[in-house]
mmCIF file of all heavy atoms in Angstrom:
data_model
loop_
_atom_site.group_PDB
_atom_site.id
_atom_site.type_symbol
_atom_site.label_atom_id
_atom_site.label_comp_id
_atom_site.label_asym_id
_atom_site.label_seq_id
_atom_site.Cartn_x
_atom_site.Cartn_y
_atom_site.Cartn_z
ATOM 1 N N LYS A 70 95.322 112.306 158.920
ATOM 2 C CA LYS A 70 94.804 111.654 157.714
ATOM 3 C C LYS A 70 94.593 110.151 157.924
ATOM 4 O O LYS A 70 93.601 109.585 157.480
ATOM 5 C CB LYS A 70 95.783 111.882 156.554
ATOM 6 C CG LYS A 70 95.370 111.220 155.261
ATOM 7 C CD LYS A 70 96.430 111.426 154.194
ATOM 8 C CE LYS A 70 96.134 110.524 153.010
ATOM 9 N NZ LYS A 70 97.308 110.317 152.190
ATOM 10 N N GLU A 71 95.520 109.508 158.594
ATOM 11 C CA GLU A 71 95.495 108.044 158.730
ATOM 12 C C GLU A 71 94.522 107.545 159.788
ATOM 13 O O GLU A 71 94.063 106.410 159.707
ATOM 14 C CB GLU A 71 96.902 107.521 159.030
ATOM 15 C CG GLU A 71 97.913 107.815 157.937
ATOM 16 C CD GLU A 71 97.532 107.236 156.576
ATOM 17 O OE1 GLU A 71 96.883 106.176 156.519
ATOM 18 O OE2 GLU A 71 97.894 107.863 155.561
ATOM 19 N N ALA A 72 94.219 108.360 160.777
ATOM 20 C CA ALA A 72 93.312 107.925 161.854
ATOM 21 C C ALA A 72 92.370 109.054 162.252
ATOM 22 O O ALA A 72 92.349 109.490 163.405
ATOM 23 C CB ALA A 72 94.112 107.436 163.052
ATOM 24 N N PRO A 73 91.559 109.529 161.318
ATOM 25 C CA PRO A 73 90.694 110.673 161.632
ATOM 26 C C PRO A 73 89.703 110.388 162.752
ATOM 27 O O PRO A 73 89.374 111.285 163.529
ATOM 28 C CB PRO A 73 89.984 110.967 160.304
ATOM 29 C CG PRO A 73 90.098 109.721 159.503
ATOM 30 C CD PRO A 73 91.370 109.055 159.946
ATOM 31 N N GLU A 74 89.253 109.153 162.874
ATOM 32 C CA GLU A 74 88.295 108.807 163.933
ATOM 33 C C GLU A 74 88.927 108.977 165.315
ATOM 34 O O GLU A 74 88.295 109.473 166.238
ATOM 35 C CB GLU A 74 87.780 107.372 163.775
ATOM 36 C CG GLU A 74 87.102 107.097 162.454
ATOM 37 C CD GLU A 74 88.065 106.686 161.322
ATOM 38 O OE1 GLU A 74 89.309 106.638 161.543
ATOM 39 O OE2 GLU A 74 87.579 106.440 160.220
ATOM 40 N N ALA A 75 90.170 108.577 165.440
ATOM 41 C CA ALA A 75 90.872 108.737 166.719
ATOM 42 C C ALA A 75 91.161 110.206 166.992
ATOM 43 O O ALA A 75 91.005 110.684 168.123
ATOM 44 C CB ALA A 75 92.173 107.935 166.709
ATOM 45 N N MET A 76 91.545 110.927 165.967
ATOM 46 C CA MET A 76 91.902 112.331 166.145
ATOM 47 C C MET A 76 90.693 113.174 166.553
ATOM 48 O O MET A 76 90.856 114.173 167.256
ATOM 49 C CB MET A 76 92.554 112.886 164.879
ATOM 50 C CG MET A 76 93.906 112.238 164.565
ATOM 51 S SD MET A 76 95.053 112.179 165.972
ATOM 52 C CE MET A 76 95.267 113.907 166.312
ATOM 53 N N VAL A 77 89.499 112.764 166.159
ATOM 54 C CA VAL A 77 88.284 113.466 166.588
ATOM 55 C C VAL A 77 88.205 113.493 168.115
ATOM 56 O O VAL A 77 87.872 114.519 168.712
ATOM 57 C CB VAL A 77 87.023 112.800 165.986
ATOM 58 C CG1 VAL A 77 85.755 113.238 166.700
ATOM 59 C CG2 VAL A 77 86.935 113.083 164.499
ATOM 60 N N HIS A 78 88.564 112.385 168.751
ATOM 61 C CA HIS A 78 88.480 112.298 170.213
ATOM 62 C C HIS A 78 89.573 113.118 170.893
ATOM 63 O O HIS A 78 89.316 113.787 171.903
ATOM 64 C CB HIS A 78 88.517 110.836 170.650
ATOM 65 C CG HIS A 78 87.365 110.055 170.111
ATOM 66 N ND1 HIS A 78 86.078 110.213 170.565
ATOM 67 C CD2 HIS A 78 87.304 109.144 169.112
ATOM 68 C CE1 HIS A 78 85.265 109.425 169.890
ATOM 69 N NE2 HIS A 78 85.985 108.763 168.999
ATOM 70 N N ILE A 79 90.764 113.076 170.343
ATOM 71 C CA ILE A 79 91.846 113.884 170.914
ATOM 72 C C ILE A 79 91.529 115.369 170.748
ATOM 73 O O ILE A 79 91.719 116.173 171.667
ATOM 74 C CB ILE A 79 93.203 113.513 170.283
ATOM 75 C CG1 ILE A 79 93.577 112.075 170.678
ATOM 76 C CG2 ILE A 79 94.291 114.491 170.719
ATOM 77 C CD1 ILE A 79 94.813 111.544 169.993
ATOM 78 N N MET A 80 91.013 115.729 169.593
ATOM 79 C CA MET A 80 90.660 117.132 169.360
ATOM 80 C C MET A 80 89.485 117.570 170.229
ATOM 81 O O MET A 80 89.391 118.749 170.593
ATOM 82 C CB MET A 80 90.383 117.374 167.880
ATOM 83 C CG MET A 80 91.623 117.193 166.996
ATOM 84 S SD MET A 80 93.097 118.088 167.556
ATOM 85 C CE MET A 80 92.581 119.772 167.279
ATOM 86 N N ALA A 81 88.610 116.638 170.593
ATOM 87 C CA ALA A 81 87.526 116.977 171.529
ATOM 88 C C ALA A 81 88.113 117.347 172.891
ATOM 89 O O ALA A 81 87.638 118.286 173.546
ATOM 90 C CB ALA A 81 86.541 115.817 171.656
ATOM 91 N N MET A 82 89.157 116.648 173.320
ATOM 92 C CA MET A 82 89.832 117.014 174.573
ATOM 93 C C MET A 82 90.510 118.373 174.433
ATOM 94 O O MET A 82 90.482 119.188 175.355
ATOM 95 C CB MET A 82 90.855 115.956 174.983
ATOM 96 C CG MET A 82 90.261 114.764 175.704
ATOM 97 S SD MET A 82 89.455 115.229 177.262
ATOM 98 C CE MET A 82 90.832 115.834 178.210
ATOM 99 N N GLU A 83 91.117 118.642 173.274
ATOM 100 C CA GLU A 83 91.709 119.960 173.017
ATOM 101 C C GLU A 83 90.650 121.050 173.117
ATOM 102 O O GLU A 83 90.885 122.104 173.704
ATOM 103 C CB GLU A 83 92.347 120.017 171.626
ATOM 104 C CG GLU A 83 93.754 119.552 171.544
ATOM 105 C CD GLU A 83 94.740 120.394 172.332
ATOM 106 O OE1 GLU A 83 94.543 121.620 172.521
ATOM 107 O OE2 GLU A 83 95.724 119.816 172.787
ATOM 108 N N LYS A 84 89.495 120.786 172.547
ATOM 109 C CA LYS A 84 88.397 121.754 172.594
ATOM 110 C C LYS A 84 87.974 122.004 174.046
ATOM 111 O O LYS A 84 87.714 123.141 174.441
ATOM 112 C CB LYS A 84 87.219 121.237 171.773
ATOM 113 C CG LYS A 84 86.084 122.212 171.664
ATOM 114 C CD LYS A 84 84.969 121.666 170.769
ATOM 115 C CE LYS A 84 83.821 122.645 170.706
ATOM 116 N NZ LYS A 84 82.718 122.152 169.879
ATOM 117 N N TYR A 85 87.921 120.941 174.854
ATOM 118 C CA TYR A 85 87.571 121.087 176.265
ATOM 119 C C TYR A 85 88.599 121.969 176.979
ATOM 120 O O TYR A 85 88.236 122.900 177.704
ATOM 121 C CB TYR A 85 87.476 119.715 176.937
ATOM 122 C CG TYR A 85 87.211 119.814 178.422
ATOM 123 C CD1 TYR A 85 85.946 120.160 178.886
ATOM 124 C CD2 TYR A 85 88.218 119.591 179.352
ATOM 125 C CE1 TYR A 85 85.689 120.281 180.247
ATOM 126 C CE2 TYR A 85 87.970 119.710 180.713
ATOM 127 C CZ TYR A 85 86.703 120.052 181.150
ATOM 128 O OH TYR A 85 86.471 120.180 182.495
ATOM 129 N N VAL A 86 89.876 121.703 176.759
ATOM 130 C CA VAL A 86 90.932 122.490 177.402
ATOM 131 C C VAL A 86 90.851 123.948 176.946
ATOM 132 O O VAL A 86 90.943 124.868 177.764
ATOM 133 C CB VAL A 86 92.326 121.881 177.127
ATOM 134 C CG1 VAL A 86 93.438 122.832 177.530
ATOM 135 C CG2 VAL A 86 92.472 120.543 177.861
ATOM 136 N N LYS A 87 90.653 124.174 175.662
ATOM 137 C CA LYS A 87 90.525 125.547 175.157
ATOM 138 C C LYS A 87 89.315 126.246 175.757
ATOM 139 O O LYS A 87 89.354 127.443 176.033
ATOM 140 C CB LYS A 87 90.465 125.550 173.630
ATOM 141 C CG LYS A 87 91.803 125.287 173.003
ATOM 142 C CD LYS A 87 91.745 125.311 171.491
ATOM 143 C CE LYS A 87 93.129 124.992 170.947
ATOM 144 N NZ LYS A 87 93.194 125.010 169.506
ATOM 145 N N SER A 88 88.234 125.494 176.001
ATOM 146 C CA SER A 88 87.044 126.096 176.607
ATOM 147 C C SER A 88 87.319 126.518 178.051
ATOM 148 O O SER A 88 86.795 127.519 178.518
ATOM 149 C CB SER A 88 85.842 125.149 176.543
ATOM 150 O OG SER A 88 85.943 124.113 177.507
ATOM 151 N N LEU A 89 88.142 125.769 178.761
ATOM 152 C CA LEU A 89 88.517 126.144 180.129
ATOM 153 C C LEU A 89 89.234 127.489 180.136
ATOM 154 O O LEU A 89 89.011 128.320 181.012
ATOM 155 C CB LEU A 89 89.444 125.088 180.745
ATOM 156 C CG LEU A 89 88.894 123.693 180.952
ATOM 157 C CD1 LEU A 89 90.003 122.763 181.422
ATOM 158 C CD2 LEU A 89 87.742 123.715 181.938
ATOM 159 N N ILE A 90 90.092 127.670 179.147
ATOM 160 C CA ILE A 90 90.858 128.907 179.045
ATOM 161 C C ILE A 90 89.950 130.058 178.614
ATOM 162 O O ILE A 90 89.969 131.129 179.208
ATOM 163 C CB ILE A 90 92.047 128.716 178.085
ATOM 164 C CG1 ILE A 90 93.039 127.717 178.703
ATOM 165 C CG2 ILE A 90 92.718 130.044 177.765
ATOM 166 C CD1 ILE A 90 94.052 127.151 177.742
ATOM 167 N N SER A 91 89.129 129.818 177.604
ATOM 168 C CA SER A 91 88.289 130.901 177.082
ATOM 169 C C SER A 91 87.211 131.336 178.074
ATOM 170 O O SER A 91 86.839 132.505 178.095
ATOM 171 C CB SER A 91 87.669 130.519 175.739
ATOM 172 O OG SER A 91 86.751 129.462 175.894
ATOM 173 N N ASN A 92 86.742 130.419 178.921
ATOM 174 C CA ASN A 92 85.722 130.831 179.896
ATOM 175 C C ASN A 92 86.335 131.328 181.204
ATOM 176 O O ASN A 92 85.626 131.653 182.148
ATOM 177 C CB ASN A 92 84.689 129.721 180.139
ATOM 178 C CG ASN A 92 85.207 128.555 180.960
ATOM 179 O OD1 ASN A 92 86.179 128.668 181.703
ATOM 180 N ND2 ASN A 92 84.561 127.405 180.813
ATOM 181 N N GLY A 93 87.663 131.360 181.259
ATOM 182 C CA GLY A 93 88.345 131.941 182.406
ATOM 183 C C GLY A 93 88.549 131.019 183.587
ATOM 184 O O GLY A 93 89.045 131.448 184.627
ATOM 185 N N SER A 94 88.210 129.743 183.450
ATOM 186 C CA SER A 94 88.388 128.842 184.590
ATOM 187 C C SER A 94 89.802 128.255 184.659
ATOM 188 O O SER A 94 90.156 127.608 185.643
ATOM 189 C CB SER A 94 87.335 127.731 184.585
ATOM 190 O OG SER A 94 87.450 126.932 183.437
#
């Protein structure tokens, strides 16, 4: 809530890591 702009970037890294797992790499 307090830093949504920063959290967007951290969550983008989370999305990248999740994509590595979901695509099997």
Side-chain angles (χ1 to χ4, degrees):
K70 178 183 168 200
E71 298 302 328
E74 302 86 358
M76 294 311 298
V77 164
H78 298 288
I79 294 174
M80 294 310 292
M82 278 298 296
E83 273 296 330
K84 185 177 178 181
Y85 176 75
V86 168
K87 285 181 182 181
S88 76
L89 296 174
I90 293 164
S91 66
N92 73 22
S94 62

